[in-house]
Amino acid sequence: MPYHLFKCSECIPEREKHAVIKGHGEDLTSALPLGYLNTIPGSITERGCAYCGAKHVIGTPMKDVIHISHGPIGCTYDTWQTKRYLSDNDNFQLKYTFATDMKEKNIVFGAEKMLKQNILEAFKAFPNIKRMSIYQTCASALIGDDINAVAQEVMEEMPDVDIFVCNSPGFKGPSQSGGHHTICIAWFKDKVGTVEPEITSDYVINYVGEYNIQGDEEVMCNYFRKMGIQVLSTFTGNGSYDDLRAMHRAHLNVLECARSSEYLCNELKKKYGIPRLDIDGFGFEPLALSLRKVGLFFGLEDKAQAIIDEETAKWKPELDWYKERLRGKKVCLWPGGSKLWHWAHVIHEEMGVEVVSVYTKFGHQGDMEKGISRCEEGALAIDDPNELEGLEAMEMLKPDIIFTGKRPGEVAKKIRVPYLNAHAYDNGPWKGWEGWVRFARDIYNAIYSPLHQLALLDISKDEIPTDKGFATRRMLSDVNLTEEVRSSTTLREYTGKFDCLPDYTKTKNDPLPKKVLSGAA
Ligand code: SF4
């Protein structure tokens, strides 16, 4: 029986159906962990709420927008310090956090007037920003404030502003995933089709489900530009509000994170007939395949292949340097919804690390199925784990590193397991060929950090060894390598810059290659 009941959860036997160990020859069709269900009482979840999914994951990466939470200030926690969604307008959307800060008296007497006053004050404080998103929370939903009516009133008084309202209170669904769905549908219904864009190429895409974590979007758009493709909008990382209102004019939706925003692509397909093409910007092979697919769609295969050849030749020796040193290292892959299947096989194939566990807090069963199918036998798959289960899993599996978010990551550090922040990574971009090498470098740096030599000592009990000296990262990683690998002149460490983004963005405003008219030779 592949289901797995954690010892710490024996008092919550329903949890058994939420964890599975992949056994020999099993295809898991009869034993997928349950997923996207309400958290079982007694299990303290680490999920986000539906408001969080709508605002913090999808809404706030939009760059030229004042994002207001209509609710208590505590709901706005996830901002600059936890989400590294960069933008090229000096990170306006991350620098400022707006909330109406509802109190008890607003619950009793209503908060619509206060909301209107907040909207007017915010536009006055930032006169260059003319776009706004307002997010409902549990509190404003429960008292029935009509946010749409307030927004409409303001738009009639201030014709140069436009406001989007997202009614996705925390309780709307079992996890943040409910909020992803709500905001996608709301944006599609209320805003798509309300602006007509300038079309400058015969090849026009929306880049959907890309949140520009540490510059990923800018790396990917650089490739599209090189192929002569106009990126009409990005939903939503580094995305502009008005560009996103014009999504209906694209020829193709290129979808990165299917878990968070496939809903929008599906609506665009139904109403406007725009096809959806799923891609993956992580890893040499998945990225190459993705650019080939986009190239094939537009008849730009040669341009895609030229990029693939150039980038692979440049970065493969560096990826292989890390692969030699990461081979056999064990990782718990505990990110959000789709990264568990975007990464599971490719980190194994291209970096040599072994995925011993996957988990998701908000993924659905389909995400689990894809993730598990890409893991090796013995991998432990967990849906919506609580903190104690996470600890027990780490004790059992003894990973060399975990990729996860801040909350479980800080717990891992306490038991001396290094972690990389897989939700909002700190040293990205990790997409693109160079980005993938940066990811390998970050894994290497975390696993072999000399800090662990001290972290593993209990200074209250252990003798401090005085005969070993201090081993550098390189001494630790190379100890079991063959002389041939150690002294290879082909393989090399990452040679890129500390901040590689300017190299990708410097041609950003150059005109696209001359427009090729459809059917022209
Ligand atoms: S669950 Fe409700 S109260 Fe809690 S953060 Fe989410 S919206 Fe705010």
Side-chain angles (χ1 to χ4, degrees):
M1 189 68 172
Y3 285 119
H4 178 76
L5 182 61
F6 288 93
K7 270 200 130 2
C8 61
S9 292
E10 279 173 355
C11 53
I12 323 169
E14 302 94 316
R15 281 292 305 156
E16 185 176 15
K17 290 273 169 74
H18 292 259
V20 161
I21 294 177
K22 184 171 180 177
H24 179 65
E26 277 164 5
D27 62 6
L28 294 169
T29 45
S30 59
L32 267 182
L34 298 179
Y36 195 52
L37 296 171
N38 287 336
T39 295
I40 299 162
S43 180
I44 298 181
T45 183
E46 293 186 336
R47 286 167 159 177
C49 66
Y51 148 84
C52 173
K55 177 177 187 278
H56 300 312
V57 176
I58 296 194
T60 40
M62 257 191 266
K63 63 185 175 185
D64 43 7
V65 180
I66 292 168
H67 296 280
I68 295 189
S69 297
H70 186 35
I73 192 78
C75 299
T76 64
Y77 162 73
D78 284 288
T79 53
W80 174 243
Q81 77 280 21
T82 62
K83 295 284 183 192
R84 312 284 292 174
Y85 298 144
L86 305 185
S87 69
D88 58 11
N89 66 341
D90 204 20
N91 299 312
F92 171 81
Q93 82 290 355
L94 289 177
K95 278 185 185 165
Y96 302 98
T97 297
F98 303 83
T100 51
D101 191 16
M102 287 174 75
K103 297 277 195 295
E104 291 94 327
K105 71 173 182 193
N106 306 119
I107 302 294
V108 176
F109 297 110
E112 289 177 0
K113 278 191 191 147
M114 181 178 71
L115 173 62
K116 183 172 178 187
Q117 187 192 342
N118 274 250
I119 297 170
L120 299 176
E121 276 177 21
F123 276 131
K124 194 171 169 202
F126 295 94
N128 294 329
I129 304 288
K130 301 289 183 193
R131 302 290 178 257
M132 177 178 284
S133 294
I134 307 175
Y135 303 88
Q136 191 185 43
T137 61
C138 294
S140 49
L142 285 169
I143 63 171
D145 272 5
D146 190 343
I147 300 176
N148 295 72
V150 176
Q152 191 57 42
E153 204 176 302
V154 174
M155 285 194 281
E156 279 163 20
E157 289 171 22
M158 300 176 70
D160 59 339
V161 308
D162 198 83
I163 301 175
F164 167 63
V165 176
C166 179
N167 291 310
S168 178
F171 52 74
K172 196 172 182 185
S175 71
Q176 55 265 60
S177 186
H180 304 158
H181 179 259
T182 303
I183 192 169
C184 280
I185 300 300
W187 184 265
F188 175 78
K189 279 192 178 153
D190 295 350
K191 295 301 170 193
V192 172
T194 58
V195 156
E196 285 303 323
E198 185 191 358
I199 300 297
T200 58
S201 167
D202 264 6
Y203 319 111
V204 185
I205 64 169
N206 295 312
Y207 188 23
V208 183
E210 165 54 55
Y211 303 106
N212 201 31
I213 301 173
Q214 291 292 352
D216 279 349
E217 185 257 4
E218 294 170 68
V219 171
M220 294 296 289
C221 285
N222 180 57
Y223 298 139
F224 296 136
R225 267 199 309 278
K226 277 188 177 170
M227 291 169 69
I229 293 169
Q230 180 186 1
V231 182
L232 193 57
S233 71
T234 304
F235 188 87
T236 55
N238 202 25
S240 166
Y241 186 102
D242 282 357
D243 290 346
L244 287 159
R245 295 165 75 187
M247 296 182 92
H248 58 297
R249 292 297 179 211
H251 305 145
L252 178 68
N253 288 314
V254 174
L255 176 62
E256 187 81 43
C257 176
R259 178 69 288 128
S260 63
S261 48
E262 66 175 351
Y263 320 105
L264 179 60
C265 289
N266 295 345
E267 294 303 315
L268 286 161
K269 170 95 173 64
K270 266 192 263 167
K271 181 160 178 189
Y272 298 103
I274 306 170
R276 153 187 165 175
L277 194 153
D278 291 31
I279 68 154
D280 185 348
F282 294 113
F284 283 22
E285 274 308 310
L287 176 53
L289 183 62
S290 299
L291 291 194
R292 277 192 203 107
K293 284 197 293 186
V294 175
L296 193 61
F297 181 86
F298 288 119
L300 298 169
E301 296 99 312
D302 292 354
K303 293 197 168 163
Q305 196 56 47
I307 295 170
I308 295 163
D309 292 344
E310 185 188 340
E311 293 283 315
T312 306
K314 187 171 175 188
W315 297 109
K316 185 79 167 50
E318 304 191 11
L319 184 65
D320 287 346
W321 190 94
Y322 291 101
K323 184 176 183 179
E324 292 294 346
R325 287 155 179 86
L326 294 174
R327 201 186 299 278
K329 293 293 174 195
K330 295 192 290 183
V331 60
C332 284
L333 183 49
W334 293 352
S338 64
K339 280 199 189 97
L340 69 97
W341 47 270
H342 274 298
W343 287 357
H345 64 307
V346 72
I347 53 176
H348 181 66
E349 282 162 19
E350 299 191 354
M351 297 182 194
V353 297
E354 195 185 326
V355 179
V356 292
S357 177
V358 284
Y359 90 23
T360 175
K361 291 184 212 165
F362 61 85
H364 299 204
Q365 275 195 309
D367 300 296
M368 253 321 181
E369 189 172 8
K370 285 188 265 186
I372 296 170
S373 69
R374 292 171 181 195
C375 289
E376 301 298 306
E377 280 175 22
L380 170 63
I382 324 167
D383 167 67
D384 186 24
N386 58 50
E387 182 178 318
L388 295 177
E389 290 175 346
L391 277 168
E392 195 175 313
M394 282 187 277
E395 294 289 351
M396 182 171 99
L397 300 165
K398 309 228 175 314
D400 295 291
I401 188 167
I402 70 169
F403 304 157
T404 190
K406 273 195 186 295
R407 276 163 285 198
E410 295 302 324
V411 173
K413 273 202 232 164
K414 288 183 187 166
I415 58 163
R416 296 150 190 174
V417 175
Y419 99 96
L420 284 184
N421 186 341
H423 289 187
Y425 31 89
D426 299 315
N427 288 319
W430 285 350
K431 278 187 181 155
W433 278 267
E434 180 174 4
W436 197 238
V437 177
R438 288 171 77 93
F439 185 27
R441 174 206 60 180
D442 290 348
I443 300 171
Y444 171 81
N445 284 348
I447 289 179
Y448 292 110
S449 168
L451 269 179
H452 301 314
Q453 294 164 53
L454 301 175
L456 288 170
L457 288 172
D458 179 347
I459 57 172
S460 68
K461 293 195 200 108
D462 297 345
E463 286 295 320
I464 311 291
T466 55
D467 58 330
K468 293 205 174 81
F470 182 79
T472 64
R473 185 178 284 135
R474 188 70 178 270
M475 287 159 76
L476 295 168
S477 69
D478 286 13
V479 68
N480 292 321
L481 294 182
T482 62
E483 185 51 35
E484 191 191 354
V485 173
R486 220 186 331 236
S487 55
S488 166
T489 51
T490 322
L491 308 181
R492 56 179 185 269
E493 281 185 82
Y494 176 62
T495 55
K497 296 176 188 159
F498 174 71
D499 180 6
C500 65
L501 267 192
D503 288 344
Y504 292 97
T505 52
K506 65 187 168 204
T507 57
K508 190 167 188 162
N509 297 319
D510 290 355
L512 288 169
K514 199 173 172 333
K515 184 173 173 181
V516 182
L517 295 174
S518 303

